[in-house]
Amino acid sequence: GAVVSQHPSRVICKSGTSVKIECRSLDFQATTMFWYRQFPKQSLMLMATSNEGSKATYEQGVEKDKFLINHASLTLSTLTVTSAHPEDSSFYICSASPRVPVGLFGQGTRLTVV
Amino acid sequence: ELKVEQNPLFLSMQEGKNYTIYCNYSTTSDRLYWYRQDPGKSLESLFVLLSNGAVKQEGRLMASLDTKARLSTLHITAAVHDLSATYFCAVTYNNNDMRFGAGTRLTVKP
């Protein structure tokens, strides 16, 4: 069945380095994927909408140069956190929808910047 | 701007009791979702509600939607400890992006 797979599930990196998170749609094609960020004990905040073959649409207050999104195929979107700092530590979740309007979410990536 | 308000934010229940979580949203929406999130985990889809008057039930959980009132409810019947989690409602509009409520942290005590 349709699944959204996100990788890695956990990553620890040093300040100043970059981290790439992958989001794949399995058994369906996703022209649009969404990236969310969730701080502890808070709700999900939409960061950006990833569009296959075109530039991502970022929400207000989200730095485009900081959070690079690439949606190069109908089944893969990537989020790269560039020059990561401790305040970027968070839970990042991607989502996509197959034709059935389920709203599938990846497993999430817990990023810790030390 | 679409706003989604959820209440209560925290809910402590005794096992066997009933309770309702409310979700209000500010503008016309395409779809309304209910999700469950366990600590450290991603979201698990519970219900998708598409039309006015829609009611869906799964086990001890029942969700309903009133699009005229822009209100959805998640009713918990005879709560059990396994239902302890955070529950989010979310709505979609314009290009399918999804906006979330703040979440209701449910604790079911024996």
Side-chain angles (χ1 to χ4, degrees), chain A residues 10 32 34 36 38 40-44 46 49 51 59 91 93 97 101-108 110, chain B residues 31 33 35 37 39-45 47-48 50 86 88-89 95-103 105:
Chain A
R10 291 178 179 271
T32 304
F34 303 93
Y36 294 86
Q38 186 181 33
K41 300 181 181 180
Q42 293 189 24
S43 188
L44 280 74
L46 179 66
T49 302
N51 303 298
E59 294 299 301
F91 193 50
I93 309 176
S97 294
V102 176
L104 300 175
F105 285 81
Q107 301 93 321
R110 185 161 303 284
Chain B
R31 300 184 282 271
Y33 301 78
Y35 290 95
Q37 186 179 37
K41 304 290 186 181
S42 189
L43 301 180
E44 174 190 351
S45 179
F47 303 107
V48 182
L50 303 178
T86 299
F88 290 97
C89 66
N95 199 31
N96 289 320
D97 70 24
M98 187 178 287
R99 305 289 168 152
F100 285 81
R105 187 169 304 162

Side-chain angles (χ1 to χ4, degrees), chain A residues 39-91:
Chain A
F39 289 108
K41 300 181 181 180
Q42 293 189 24
S43 188
L44 280 74
M45 298 300 296
L46 179 66
M47 298 176 64
T49 302
S50 172
N51 303 298
E52 187 269 333
S54 63
K55 291 182 179 180
T57 304
Y58 290 81
E59 294 299 301
Q60 192 172 7
V62 177
E63 299 176 59
K64 301 178 182 180
D65 296 332
K66 176 83 174 167
F67 299 99
L68 300 179
I69 291 174
N70 186 300
H71 194 153
S73 77
L74 288 170
T75 59
L76 174 63
S77 175
T78 60
L79 168 68
T80 301
V81 182
T82 63
S83 187
H85 291 285
E87 57 265 32
D88 297 325
S89 298
S90 188
F91 193 50

Side-chain angles (χ1 to χ4, degrees), chain B residues 6-80:
Chain B
Q6 197 174 329
N7 69 85
L9 300 182
F10 299 93
L11 178 56
S12 181
M13 306 176 57
Q14 293 282 6
E15 279 191 331
K17 298 293 186 182
N18 305 331
Y19 209 83
T20 300
I21 300 171
Y22 298 88
C23 177
N24 289 91
Y25 53 99
S26 60
T27 61
T28 302
S29 166
D30 303 327
R31 300 184 282 271
L32 188 136
Y33 301 78
W34 284 97
Y35 290 95
R36 168 180 173 147
Q37 186 179 37
D38 291 297
K41 304 290 186 181
S42 189
L43 301 180
E44 174 190 351
S45 179
L46 296 175
F47 303 107
V48 182
L49 302 170
L50 303 178
S51 60
N52 187 42
V55 176
K56 292 193 175 181
Q57 182 166 4
E58 182 72 35
R60 301 175 187 274
L61 301 178
M62 183 174 71
S64 67
L65 178 62
D66 180 344
T67 57
K68 294 181 180 178
R70 295 176 184 161
L71 169 68
S72 179
T73 62
L74 180 66
H75 187 73
I76 303 159
T77 302
V80 294

